[in-house]
């Protein structure tokens, strides 16, 4: 099965089929094994603030959600998450947060430098949204290696239906190209089954990614959050998300593709199925258990209860049960 030469129309047809395409999934796994064997890379995710100045209509931590209990982790909290993560075998730390004005460049840069000097064999990934080129350059200078910024949807009309007027899809894409120019390893991606999304939109997402050529592509099902304008909208399905993971593996044979927490949230074995459909990364939570419930982008998020301290062991067993193996390494992309 070769998807690389398909037309937009043919891709849209594969995307909109409602049958579980065993051959698509099997061949995606074969491509993944060709480049990465059974290796699964892990990233320790530190969700350090749920305060956000943006008001994305789908997101539970949007500034307009007055029901969200807000938190910020201190520098010491964050460093101790890294310490703990290092002991557990993590060699990449992902600092993710809302667009929180409190964390100025003057706070982020020394923090990145400190993590880098304490853990020189680790990669540092930032996921803190749209910033000025100067800020991105300063983070890089301070030691950041990678940046995650999902484009969310490549179609500008669709983008504007999911975001308030003061945000633009074009600006977000511009940020991604800036990050690449600055030498970051870049991760982008989109939600599957977001409100108003069509198969043609998803094809546009794939085409946009082909021009961006990111190192990592993160996708997960849209899951409604009750305190948002899309609280009653249907979520993205397991089948479509798995199909999109497999299509991504076909079109981006060497990409880093996480099997996301959102996928694990809509089905108890969602992440295992994501791995079998071509994903090769998992990003468990390293945040202190006391704040995990508060970083709720969507409802029913997994790994937020008392079992959460055990994520590393739990994940190890899950990955092995799917036929793969977690490796202790930075997990850089193969080029
Ligand atoms: N359902 C699924 N994913 C969501 N995200 C934000 N809100 C939701 C939701 N309701 C995703 C966005 C964002 C990433 C951090 O989480 O794609 O980029
Ligand atoms: Fe988090 Fe299983 S991966 S508890």
């Amino acid at each position: 099965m070769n998807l690389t030469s398909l037309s937009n129309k043919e891709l849209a047809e594969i995307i909109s089929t409602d049958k579980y395409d065993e051959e698509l999934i099997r061949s995606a796994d074969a491509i993944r094994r060709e480049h990465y064997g059974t290796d699964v890379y892990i990233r320790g995710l530190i969700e350090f603030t749920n305060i956000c100045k943006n008001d994305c209509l789908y997101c539970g931590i949007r500034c307009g959600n007055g029901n969200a209990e807000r938190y910020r982790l201190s520098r010491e909290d964050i460093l101790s998450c890294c310490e703990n993560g290092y002991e557990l075998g993590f060699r990449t730390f992902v600092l993710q947060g809302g667009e929180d004005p409190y964390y100025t460049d003057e706070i982020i840069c020394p923090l990145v430098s400190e993590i880098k000097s304490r853990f020189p064999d680790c990669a540092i990934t930032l996921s803190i949204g749209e910033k000025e080129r100067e800020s991105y350059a300063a983070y890089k200078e301070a030691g950041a290696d990678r940046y995650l910024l999902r484009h969310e949807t490549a179609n500008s009309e669709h983008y504007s239906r999911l975001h308030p007027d003061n945000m633009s899809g074009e600006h977000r894409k511009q940020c991604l190209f800036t990050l690449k120019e600055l030498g970051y390893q870049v991760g982008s991606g989109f939600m599957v089954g977001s409100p108003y999304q069509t198969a043609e939109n998803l094809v546009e997402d794939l085409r946009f990614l082909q021009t961006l050529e990111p190192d990592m592509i993160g996708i997960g099902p849209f899951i409604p959050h009750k305190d948002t304008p899309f609280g009653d909208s249907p979520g993205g399905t397991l089948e479509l998300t798995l199909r999109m993971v497999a299509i991504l593996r076909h079109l981006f044979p060497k990409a880093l593709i996480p099997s996301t927490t959102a996928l694990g949230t809509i089905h108890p074995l969602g992440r295992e199925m994501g791995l079998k459909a071509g994903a090769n990364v998992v990003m468990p939570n390293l945040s202190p258990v006391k704040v995990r419930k508060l970083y709720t982008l969507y409802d029913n998020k997994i790994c937020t209860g008392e079992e959460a301290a055990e994520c590393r062991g739990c994940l190890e067993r899950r990955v092995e049960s799917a036929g793969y193996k977690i490796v202790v390494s930075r997990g850089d992309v193969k080029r």
Side-chain angles (χ1 to χ4, degrees), residues 125-267:
T125 305
L126 292 176
S127 179
I128 52 178
E130 297 175 40
K131 306 280 175 186
E132 299 294 331
R133 170 187 275 268
E134 293 66 40
S135 299
Y136 286 149
Y139 308 152
K140 185 94 194 2
E141 191 63 28
D145 304 281
R146 307 180 184 144
Y147 205 99
L148 303 183
L149 183 72
R150 289 188 180 178
H151 68 277
E152 310 298 359
T153 173
N155 179 280
S156 54
E157 279 98 74
H158 186 218
Y159 191 93
S160 63
R161 301 182 84 168
L162 301 180
H163 299 90
D165 288 345
N166 66 350
M167 294 180 74
S168 95
E170 291 314 307
H171 184 259
R172 205 163 174 89
K173 288 179 187 169
Q174 196 48 57
C175 286
L176 284 160
F177 287 106
T178 301
L179 288 161
K180 273 201 80 162
E181 272 169 35
L182 291 169
Y184 280 94
Q185 295 171 39
V186 168
S188 193
F190 53 88
M191 287 179 291
V192 175
S194 59
Y196 312 113
Q197 185 179 63
T198 63
E200 288 69 31
N201 291 154
L202 287 168
V203 174
E204 275 184 76
D205 289 322
L206 298 172
R207 296 306 184 207
F208 168 69
L209 291 168
Q210 285 176 321
T211 56
L212 179 66
E213 299 182 316
D215 301 291
M216 176 144 158
I217 305 173
I219 66 168
F222 161 69
I223 304 173
H225 184 292
K226 59 181 178 353
D227 297 322
T228 64
F230 293 135
D232 295 322
S233 303
T237 65
L238 177 72
E239 292 72 21
L240 180 54
T241 308
L242 293 175
R243 203 149 63 235
M244 291 309 301
V245 168
I247 292 171
L248 285 174
R249 177 55 70 202
H250 274 268
L251 298 183
F252 304 92
K254 293 185 177 176
L256 299 166
I257 302 178
S259 196
T260 55
T261 304
L263 193 51
T265 296
I266 60 167
H267 189 286

Side-chain angles (χ1 to χ4, degrees), residues 21-323:
D21 194 334
E22 216 162 287
E23 173 57 14
L24 174 69
I25 304 259
R26 198 205 51 74
S27 51
D29 184 52
I31 297 170
R32 166 259 208 270
R33 283 174 192 263
E34 191 180 311
H35 298 292
Y36 289 96
T38 56
D39 290 358
V40 170
Y41 299 144
I42 52 175
R43 287 33 174 135
L45 186 60
I46 303 169
E47 297 161 336
F48 69 95
T49 171
N50 71 347
I51 296 177
C52 191
K53 67 179 170 63
N54 292 333
D55 213 17
C56 307
L57 275 69
Y58 47 83
C59 184
I61 64 167
R62 66 199 300 265
C63 65
N65 179 10
N67 291 335
E69 180 183 336
R70 307 289 173 170
Y71 74 91
R72 289 182 175 126
L73 294 186
S74 68
R75 173 191 166 85
E76 289 65 39
D77 288 335
I78 296 170
L79 288 167
S80 83
C81 289
C82 296
E83 197 72 55
N84 178 28
Y86 193 88
E87 292 301 310
L88 290 169
F90 290 93
R91 296 295 177 268
T92 292
F93 302 119
V94 182
L95 269 53
Q96 183 173 87
E99 291 195 18
D100 181 349
Y102 169 82
Y103 295 92
T104 57
D105 297 356
E106 289 67 38
I107 295 189
I108 295 291
C109 293
L111 176 62
V112 168
S113 304
E114 177 70 21
I115 298 175
K116 202 69 185 182
S117 74
R118 286 206 204 175
F119 310 99
D121 54 337
C122 293
I124 301 180
T125 305
L126 292 176
S127 179
I128 52 178
E130 297 175 40
K131 306 280 175 186
E132 299 294 331
R133 170 187 275 268
E134 293 66 40
S135 299
Y136 286 149
Y139 308 152
K140 185 94 194 2
E141 191 63 28
D145 304 281
R146 307 180 184 144
Y147 205 99
L148 303 183
L149 183 72
R150 289 188 180 178
H151 68 277
E152 310 298 359
T153 173
N155 179 280
S156 54
E157 279 98 74
H158 186 218
Y159 191 93
S160 63
R161 301 182 84 168
L162 301 180
H163 299 90
D165 288 345
N166 66 350
M167 294 180 74
S168 95
E170 291 314 307
H171 184 259
R172 205 163 174 89
K173 288 179 187 169
Q174 196 48 57
C175 286
L176 284 160
F177 287 106
T178 301
L179 288 161
K180 273 201 80 162
E181 272 169 35
L182 291 169
Y184 280 94
Q185 295 171 39
V186 168
S188 193
F190 53 88
M191 287 179 291
V192 175
S194 59
Y196 312 113
Q197 185 179 63
T198 63
E200 288 69 31
N201 291 154
L202 287 168
V203 174
E204 275 184 76
D205 289 322
L206 298 172
R207 296 306 184 207
F208 168 69
L209 291 168
Q210 285 176 321
T211 56
L212 179 66
E213 299 182 316
D215 301 291
M216 176 144 158
I217 305 173
I219 66 168
F222 161 69
I223 304 173
H225 184 292
K226 59 181 178 353
D227 297 322
T228 64
F230 293 135
D232 295 322
S233 303
T237 65
L238 177 72
E239 292 72 21
L240 180 54
T241 308
L242 293 175
R243 203 149 63 235
M244 291 309 301
V245 168
I247 292 171
L248 285 174
R249 177 55 70 202
H250 274 268
L251 298 183
F252 304 92
K254 293 185 177 176
L256 299 166
I257 302 178
S259 196
T260 55
T261 304
L263 193 51
T265 296
I266 60 167
H267 189 286
L269 296 175
R271 284 171 301 175
E272 287 84 335
M273 288 189 267
L275 292 172
K276 290 182 188 174
N280 61 337
V281 174
V282 283
M283 302 175 60
N285 205 313
L286 281 184
S287 315
V289 174
K290 65 175 192 300
V291 302
R292 285 194 199 177
K293 271 197 201 329
L294 304 178
Y295 199 82
T296 36
L297 309 183
Y298 46 80
D299 289 333
N300 307 317
K301 187 177 168 200
I302 54 169
C303 303
T304 60
E306 281 314 310
E307 85 293 356
E310 283 305 313
C311 268
R312 179 63 171 82
C314 169
L315 216 52
E316 183 104 37
R317 291 188 294 278
R318 285 172 177 270
V319 168
E320 284 182 16
S321 78

